[in-house]
Amino acid sequence: MILLIGYGSILSGDDGVGQHIANRLDVSLYLDTVEVIACHQLMPELVDPISRADHVIFVDAALDGQVGDV
């Protein structure tokens, strides 16, 4: 299973991009293989879903780097 965690503060403008992306993803075709979590910040409660995932993708905003850098 792939877990995507989008996080950031939606009150801080573009810092909330991770949550916005997570909330807008349509994973209805991949319900058995993709799980999406949108949250304000990374918390210890995420350990359980992370431990069950084969792959984890974290989506957040950054001020440095070039567009598209990973």
Side-chain angles (χ1 to χ4, degrees):
M1 186 249 316
I2 298 170
L3 173 63
L4 183 136
I5 301 174
Y7 61 100
S9 173
I10 57 174
L11 300 176
S12 298
D14 63 346
D15 183 47
V17 71
Q19 279 200 64
H20 289 294
I21 290 171
N23 286 324
R24 285 171 174 71
L25 283 177
D26 180 10
V27 296
S28 59
L29 296 174
Y30 310 103
L31 289 178
D32 296 334
T33 57
V34 178
E35 181 181 347
V36 176
I37 297 174
C39 55
H40 178 74
Q41 61 186 16
L42 299 177
M43 300 291 290
E45 292 81 8
L46 294 171
V47 169
D48 182 54
I50 289 172
S51 70
R52 289 184 279 113
D54 297 312
H55 303 283
V56 181
I57 300 169
F58 295 93
V59 180
D60 191 16
L63 291 175
D64 58 343
Q66 297 293 321
V67 175
D69 281 354
V70 178

